[in-house]
């Protein structure tokens, strides 16, 4: 019995020591291990200092994350291969845990990298059959996500899972959720203001350098504001609002307000018997603009630099006013749409943002009865 107990105790001790070692190895990783080890001074003649990828290519070269195709050529527009993507993910993982990249080429040249990736959870063995094929954007992103602990992807952006770009749900929850975390961490930014990811598309070496640099150097991660559709108000159910992710909704009598970090939207609909049967174009723009200004002043704020014009959603005439909204706590550019329903309701949608691109998207892509404004900003 003593021998059995001794053996059991020894086994338990070995098990606990292995757990301790494993935990120590896990905790040994640090983002501080990513440090410049070379100087980039324009070695790649096909990457000009005016090119958008210049800074990212420089970072990848200096941090030993990515090499050129030759000593003087980076080939920024070339597609990244599966093997090259695995090499990059391995470097991220190895540098994070050991402070250096030590894997050397084998036969075939990429085999040691494939083995390392499989052994360290970056990918499952047998995932790929052709390592020279172009890697997809989703495959590249997933390998980089698996190269670091989830705790290193600190969220700096508010992005809903709902209407997540063009990714959809076809790849499964886990895949979409991991890539969504890269958006929230500012590593992936999408291909447009909607955050479209294009998961099955190939990825260029220039695009890869941007994602790789942001993965290894948190200071280079991007704060982004993406918009999505799906916001609506019970006041105007036929209106589809295009607003940034994560907006809070507040409803009051005759008013719905959407509040976010960098944007604001107000929906108002008020009945006036005198407006029944009146087209808003029957109101002279200057009179409308003056009334709008007076309304803001009465509420303790101001609307300056205004310009009003008649635009249309399909055949429905609408006034669009642009200007700068100022209150004691807030200054934002704004776009205001106003129209009169045949039943006598004055409908107003005020869109405000401190980001010009976001504001234009909110204004241009707003849909009334399924159509957007004909005259874009």
């Amino acid at each position: 019995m003593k021998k059995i107990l001794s053996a059991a105790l020894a086994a338990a001790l070995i098990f606990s020591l292995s757990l301790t070692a494993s935990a120590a190895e896990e905790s040994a990783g640090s983002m501080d291990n990513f440090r410049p080890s070379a100087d980039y001074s324009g070695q790649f003649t096909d990457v000009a200092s005016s090119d958008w990828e210049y800074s990212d290519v420089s970072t990848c070269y200096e941090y030993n994350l990515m090499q050129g195709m030759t000593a003087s050529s980076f080939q920024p527009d070339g597609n990244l291969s599966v093997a090259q993507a695995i090499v990059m993910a391995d470097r991220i993982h190895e540098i994070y845990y050991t402070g250096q990249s030590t894997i050397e080429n084998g036969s075939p040249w990429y085999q040691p990298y494939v083995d390392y990736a499989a052994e360290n959870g970056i990918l499952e063995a047998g995932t790929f059959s052709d390592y020279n094929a172009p890697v997809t954007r989703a495959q590249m992103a997933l390998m980089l996500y698996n190269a670091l602990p989830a705790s290193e992807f600190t969220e700096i952006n508010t992005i809903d899972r709902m209407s997540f770009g063009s990714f959809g749900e076809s790849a499964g929850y886990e895949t979409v959720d991991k890539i969504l975390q890269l958006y929230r961490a500012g590593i992936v930014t999408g291909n447009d203001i909607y955050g479209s990811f294009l998961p099955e598309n190939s990825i260029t070496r220039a695009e890869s350098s941007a994602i790789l640099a942001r993965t290894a150097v948190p200071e280079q991660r991007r704060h982004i504001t993406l918009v999505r559709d799906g916001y609506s108000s019970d006041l105007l159910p036929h209106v589809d609002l295009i607003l940034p992710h994560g907006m809070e909704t507040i409803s009051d009598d005759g008013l719905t307000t959407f509040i976010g970090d960098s944007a604001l939207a107000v929906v108002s609909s008020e009945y006036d018997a005198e407006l029944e049967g009146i087209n808003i174009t029957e109101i002279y723009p200057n009179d409308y603009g003056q009334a709008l200004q007076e309304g803001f002043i009465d509420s303790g704020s101001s609307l300056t630099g205004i310009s009003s014009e008649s635009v249309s959603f399909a055949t429905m005439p609408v006034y669009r006013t642009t200007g700068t909204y100022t209150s004691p706590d807030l200054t934002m550019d704004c776009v205001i749409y106003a129209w009169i329903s045949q039943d006598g309701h004055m409908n107003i949608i005020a869109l405000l943002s401190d980001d010009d691109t976001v504001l234009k998207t909110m204004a241009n892509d707003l849909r009334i009865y399924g159509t957007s404004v004909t005259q874009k900003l």
Side-chain angles (χ1 to χ4, degrees):
M1 179 64 70
K2 288 183 179 180
K3 289 183 179 180
I4 294 175
L5 288 174
S6 297
L9 184 60
L13 181 60
I14 292 172
F15 180 70
S16 65
L17 287 174
S18 67
L19 285 179
T20 303
S22 176
E25 180 183 355
E26 186 71 12
S27 63
S30 172
M31 296 302 291
D32 292 335
N33 287 339
F34 294 101
R35 298 187 182 92
S37 58
D39 292 322
Y40 183 76
S41 55
Q43 286 88 331
F44 300 131
T45 58
D46 53 359
V47 180
S49 58
S50 57
D51 292 341
W52 70 264
E53 70 270 16
Y54 182 85
S55 175
D56 298 315
V57 171
S58 301
T59 297
C60 288
Y61 181 88
E62 293 177 346
Y63 282 72
N64 192 30
L65 302 173
M66 202 171 180
Q67 305 297 322
M69 295 301 288
T70 68
S72 60
S73 172
F74 187 78
Q75 296 182 17
D77 296 327
N79 286 333
L80 193 74
S81 71
V82 170
Q84 291 169 336
I86 294 173
V87 170
M88 295 172 196
D90 284 358
R91 284 177 180 156
I92 290 289
H93 185 277
E94 193 177 15
I95 293 173
Y96 178 80
Y97 284 108
T98 71
Q100 57 185 334
S101 176
T102 62
I103 306 172
E104 297 181 353
N105 293 357
S107 180
W109 73 266
Y110 51 76
Q111 192 59 53
Y113 301 96
V114 174
D115 294 340
Y116 181 91
E119 291 167 1
N120 290 279
I122 295 172
L123 55 79
E124 292 184 9
T127 298
F128 300 101
S129 57
D130 184 357
Y131 292 94
N132 295 311
V135 71
T136 68
R137 294 172 58 82
Q139 291 165 344
M140 168 74 174
L142 287 173
M143 283 190 278
L144 287 181
Y145 180 91
N146 292 335
L148 290 177
S151 59
E152 298 297 355
F153 300 112
T154 303
E155 293 185 9
I156 62 174
N157 298 310
T158 301
I159 300 174
D160 301 336
R161 194 165 190 275
M162 177 182 179
S163 189
F164 169 41
S166 63
F167 199 90
E169 302 290 335
S170 59
Y173 181 91
E174 184 178 1
T175 295
V176 175
D177 194 57
K178 286 181 177 180
I179 295 176
L180 178 56
Q181 290 303 314
L182 296 181
Y183 273 85
R184 289 171 173 163
I187 293 172
V188 171
T189 60
N191 288 270
D192 54 33
I193 199 167
Y194 286 90
S196 300
F197 186 65
L198 309 179
E200 301 304 321
N201 283 23
S202 57
I203 185 169
T204 67
R205 289 175 52 79
E207 292 168 334
S208 301
S209 71
I211 297 175
L212 199 63
R214 295 173 200 150
T215 301
V217 186
E219 292 79 11
Q220 295 197 18
R221 296 180 183 180
R222 297 276 301 279
H223 288 272
I224 56 174
T225 300
L226 300 180
V227 300
R228 69 170 178 84
D229 56 16
Y231 289 99
S232 62
S233 167
D234 291 339
L235 294 173
L236 298 173
H238 51 278
V239 173
D240 297 313
L241 295 162
I242 313 300
L243 304 175
H245 289 243
M247 300 283 277
E248 180 184 355
T249 306
I250 301 174
S251 296
D252 201 355
D253 291 340
L255 202 69
T256 302
T257 305
F258 301 88
I259 302 174
D261 294 334
S262 61
L264 180 72
V266 180
V267 177
S268 173
S269 183
E270 186 173 345
Y271 173 73
D272 186 338
E274 296 182 1
L275 296 178
E276 289 188 19
I278 294 180
N279 189 308
I280 196 166
T281 56
E282 296 176 30
I283 303 174
Y284 193 70
N286 288 344
D287 295 336
Y288 164 74
Q290 182 177 352
L292 205 58
Q293 282 182 310
E294 291 174 355
F296 277 99
I297 292 173
D298 289 343
S299 67
S301 57
S302 66
L303 186 64
T304 58
I306 68 169
S307 174
S308 296
E309 61 179 336
S310 178
V311 297
S312 60
F313 286 74
T315 59
M316 185 178 72
V318 174
Y319 269 159
R320 179 173 62 197
T321 301
T322 58
T324 300
Y325 170 83
T326 304
S327 71
D329 303 317
L330 187 68
T331 297
M332 284 186 173
D333 290 332
C334 70
V335 177
I336 301 172
Y337 287 110
W339 71 99
I340 301 174
S341 303
Q342 288 187 354
D343 61 1
H345 277 81
M346 171 63 83
N347 306 304
I348 296 177
I349 297 177
L351 307 168
L352 301 89
S353 180
D354 56 14
D355 185 317
D356 185 60
T357 301
V358 171
L359 182 60
K360 284 185 176 180
T361 301
M362 291 163 59
N364 290 336
D365 292 1
L366 171 77
R367 294 189 297 275
I368 303 177
Y369 291 112
T371 62
S372 58
V373 65
T374 303
Q375 301 86 352
K376 307 296 183 184
L377 287 172

